[in-house]
């Protein structure tokens, strides 16, 4: 781990990425957090109620993280709505269909994977849409001057770039097994499952991520167009 962190620092210095300190701190935090989480998971994986509580904590941390990355501040409840809109239907389909048993050992890893990827999708959407809106205030104002409602004026700026947030998931799903061998596949194999079971588990996870991110990004975009999910500066600039 020390060697890998060192490689990150060297690459950052040579490429002037500016992440030397951040990478060291992030790695140290990851070590400490995983040590604590491992102890908690020993208990959570044996009790459904504890797994539910742990899942709620994961969701709260994911929302806080993407709020910080996108800078929406007090609009965080709408971030929670967007992330939950992708998480809940995916988990409902997985468990209600019987694809995975409703127990602690299934809930924690599946919820963690889905929540983490909804967080990533929301962050990518926000970091793509908000700079686009800041750079295109003139287009927004022109649309308003033509009599378009605010939601339509915002959509005129953002509709061509919103799909960028889900392209990584589309590519991961399309190339699975050819480029990456993802964690769920390897985990099932290492756990003694067959290749068929490993492939089924990974396919379930990948398609679930793709479906959930599509919903999260669409809902986030609708909330942005409605003026609800915006950073403070854009909330003022994108007036009625």
């Amino acid at each position: 781990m020390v060697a890998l962190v060192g490689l990150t620092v060297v690459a950052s210095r040579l490429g002037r990425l500016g992440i030397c300190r951040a990478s060291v701190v992030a790695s140290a935090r990851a070590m400490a957090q995983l040590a604590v989480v491992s102890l908690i998971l020993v208990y959570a994986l044996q009790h459904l109620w504890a797994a539910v509580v742990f899942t709620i904590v994961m969701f709260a941390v994911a929302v806080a993280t993407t709020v910080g990355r996108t800078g929406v501040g007090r609009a965080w409840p709408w971030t929670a709505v967007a992330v939950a809109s992708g998480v809940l239907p995916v988990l409902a389909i997985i468990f209600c269909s019987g694809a995975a048993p409703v127990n602690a050992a299934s809930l924690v890893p599946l919820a963690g994977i889905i929540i983490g990827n909804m967080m990533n999708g929301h962050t990518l959407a926000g970091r793509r849409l908000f700079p686009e809106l800041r750079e295109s205030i003139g287009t927004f104002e022109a649309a308003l001057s033509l009599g378009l409602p605010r939601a339509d004026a915002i959509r005129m700026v953002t509709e061509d770039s919103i799909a960028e947030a889900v392209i990584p998931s589309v590519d991961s799903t399309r190339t699975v097994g050819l480029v990456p061998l993802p964690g769920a596949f390897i985990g099932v194999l290492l756990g003694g499952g067959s290749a068929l079971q490993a492939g089924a588990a990974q396919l379930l996870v990948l398609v679930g991520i793709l479906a959930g991110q599509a919903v999260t990004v669409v809902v986030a975009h609708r909330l942005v167009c409605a003026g609800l999910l915006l950073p403070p500066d854009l909330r003022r600039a994108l007036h009625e």
Side-chain angles (χ1 to χ4, degrees), residues 37 40 49-65 111-112 115:
V37 167
I40 295 173
W49 72 267
V52 171
V53 172
F54 190 77
T55 299
I56 294 172
V57 171
M58 287 192 293
F59 178 81
V61 172
V63 169
T65 301
I115 291 171

Side-chain angles (χ1 to χ4, degrees), residues 9-239:
V9 170
V10 171
S12 176
R13 288 190 179 278
L14 293 177
R16 298 181 181 180
L17 300 179
I19 61 168
C20 293
R21 179 181 174 82
S23 61
V24 173
V25 172
S27 300
R29 280 189 58 178
M31 181 176 64
Q33 288 166 188
L34 285 175
V36 175
V37 167
S38 297
L39 296 175
I40 295 173
L41 281 178
V42 171
Y43 185 84
L45 290 176
Q46 297 174 354
H47 302 84
L48 184 57
W49 72 267
V52 171
V53 172
F54 190 77
T55 299
I56 294 172
V57 171
M58 287 192 293
F59 178 81
V61 172
V63 169
T65 301
T66 190
V67 165
R69 286 296 185 187
T70 55
V72 296
R74 294 183 179 179
W76 69 264
W78 298 112
T79 292
V81 169
V83 174
S85 68
V87 171
L88 294 178
V90 170
L91 293 181
I93 290 172
I94 289 174
F95 290 116
C96 292
S97 67
V102 183
N103 58 38
S106 294
L107 177 61
V108 171
L110 285 172
I113 291 170
I114 300 301
I115 291 171
N117 281 277
M118 297 313 103
M119 174 188 72
N120 292 339
H122 185 277
T123 297
L124 287 174
R127 291 176 70 85
R128 183 73 178 87
L129 295 180
F130 298 152
E132 186 82 19
L133 285 167
R134 291 186 180 100
E135 294 172 4
S136 304
I137 293 295
T139 302
F140 169 79
E141 295 285 356
L144 287 186
S145 69
L146 294 175
L148 290 178
R150 178 172 66 167
D152 291 340
I154 293 175
R155 189 174 293 108
M156 179 177 291
V157 175
T158 59
E159 62 183 357
D160 291 335
S161 57
I162 186 60
E164 296 291 330
V166 295
I167 285 179
S169 289
V170 173
D171 288 344
S172 294
T173 304
R174 186 176 61 182
T175 61
V176 65
L178 300 177
V179 179
L181 283 176
F185 184 89
I186 300 300
V188 173
L189 287 179
L190 293 177
S194 67
L196 181 61
Q197 290 171 325
Q202 186 59 61
L203 187 60
L204 181 70
V205 167
L206 281 175
V207 177
I209 291 171
L210 182 58
Q213 281 194 347
V215 176
T216 289
V217 169
V218 167
V219 171
H221 188 217
R222 294 290 180 88
L223 293 171
V224 168
C225 291
L228 299 172
L229 181 55
L230 291 171
D233 63 314
L234 285 176
R235 200 175 301 124
R236 293 188 297 269
L238 303 176
H239 55 83

